[in-house]
Amino acid sequence: THFGFRDVPVDDKQKLVGQVFTSVARNYDLMNDLMSFGIHRLWKRHFVAVSGVRRGDRVLDLAGGTGDIAALLKPVVGAEGEVVVGDINAAMLGVGRDRLTDRGLVSGLRWAQMNAEALPFPDASFDAVTIAFGLRNVTDKDKALADMCRILKPGGRALVLEFSKVKSPLFSKLYDVHSFKILPKLGSLFAGDANSYQYLAESIRKHPDQETLKGMMLRAGFGHVEVRNLTNGIVAIHRAYKL
Ligand code: SAM
């Protein structure tokens, strides 16, 4: 498949993102480990550790794809709590559900296909909503952030884990080589699909930086937003509170 990602009109972005994730779903976990040298596992652990999610909470994990975040959240919310995994892509949801079922994680977990821009939930129905490495794929991010705020109870938190802007210039150079030279090669070697990984590298560069995303979250209706960088800003965690 060829993805002409540079010239796609905004309306087609959703279709393109659909093709990319259907194409990578099966190799997604292996590729994450290869591309990040396994560090994505540490980022995700840290993300859930600082999420403030507690026993008994009802949490929506958006763009939950292959279930990594849900698997970490479930033991935290316990039997009294619930984790709903929402993703727009059926292939990603299928891989995630199978994987977590194999690990015995079934009860208190729900899987549902949905678009982050139009969440199928009533107002004030979740204690927390998480989205890890998902927001940059969403076409209308302002709409998605506003809807995340809408479904949260007052006092609830939205947590975004996403690639962000690297802080040091030297690190930034190395990171560019990794993203644009090594990553597409890994993609073609291990997943037979260089284009999808080229898309991923470009989508990371286009994503709003730390301060821009913070501003977007405040405009979407959140009362207070905290940002922390991990690994020199390769990724950042935004923690936003609904007042
Ligand atoms: N959260 C998982 C993780 O951290 O490993 C998966 C992240 S994966 C890079 C991005 C996911 O976002 C894909 O599963 C994709 O289908 C999903 N996605 C893209 N656009 C979406 C949208 N508009 N609404 C919901 N999910 C979306």
Side-chain angles (χ1 to χ4, degrees):
T1 335
H2 174 72
F3 300 108
F5 38 79
R6 276 200 185 79
D7 312 313
V8 281
V10 176
D11 288 352
D12 290 344
K13 173 167 170 170
Q14 203 146 299
K15 210 194 288 164
L16 179 75
V17 169
Q19 290 170 352
V20 167
F21 283 105
T22 301
S23 165
V24 302
R26 242 168 7 95
N27 298 300
Y28 181 76
D29 290 314
L30 169 70
M31 288 308 295
N32 268 349
D33 281 333
L34 286 173
M35 291 182 314
S36 76
F37 313 105
I39 296 171
H40 74 106
R41 293 168 185 267
L42 302 179
W43 291 333
K44 287 170 180 170
R45 272 181 201 290
H46 189 74
F47 179 60
V48 171
V50 301
S51 67
V53 169
R54 282 181 300 218
R55 185 155 288 273
D57 277 357
R58 183 161 192 252
V59 186
L60 172 65
D61 181 40
L62 259 182
T66 52
D68 279 11
I69 303 298
L72 294 169
L73 282 170
K74 188 72 219 359
V76 180
V77 302
E80 314 91 293
E82 183 183 43
V83 178
V84 180
V85 183
D87 199 291
I88 202 168
N89 190 293
M92 293 292 280
L93 281 169
V95 171
R97 182 166 24 192
D98 288 351
R99 196 158 62 106
L100 266 53
T101 303
D102 287 348
R103 286 169 53 183
L105 289 164
V106 180
S107 73
L109 268 179
R110 281 171 51 203
W111 302 80
Q113 198 169 1
M114 69 188 70
N115 186 344
E117 293 168 14
L119 297 173
F121 302 105
D123 298 0
S125 50
F126 285 91
D127 299 291
V129 49
T130 54
I131 180 164
F133 304 115
L135 190 64
R136 74 174 188 282
N137 301 299
V138 174
T139 309
D140 192 339
K141 296 175 187 45
D142 297 313
K143 207 166 162 192
L145 291 169
D147 223 25
M148 287 162 68
C149 189
R150 179 186 66 76
I151 61 152
L152 282 172
K153 299 173 189 171
R157 293 164 315 278
L159 295 126
V160 179
L161 177 65
E162 191 51 272
F163 290 101
S164 207
K165 190 152 187 260
V166 171
K167 291 293 167 189
S168 102
L170 174 66
F171 207 73
S172 173
K173 281 227 170 62
L174 289 171
Y175 185 48
D176 277 346
V177 171
H178 175 259
S179 305
F180 294 107
K181 300 267 186 274
I182 300 174
L183 210 141
K185 286 218 175 67
L186 285 175
S188 67
L189 212 61
F190 290 94
D193 184 357
N195 281 320
S196 291
Y197 289 92
Q198 176 86 17
Y199 159 80
L200 291 180
E202 295 200 357
S203 73
I204 289 168
R205 293 311 192 282
K206 280 197 213 134
H207 190 68
D209 67 10
Q210 287 87 339
E211 281 310 303
T212 309
L213 180 56
K214 179 177 175 178
M216 287 165 68
M217 294 183 93
L218 290 169
R219 278 195 302 283
F222 291 99
H224 175 66
V225 181
E226 297 159 357
V227 187
R228 52 171 96 186
N229 289 318
L230 308 180
T231 321
N232 202 257
I234 286 188
V235 304
I237 295 173
H238 284 68
R239 192 163 53 178
Y241 296 79
K242 178 172 181 175
L243 300 183

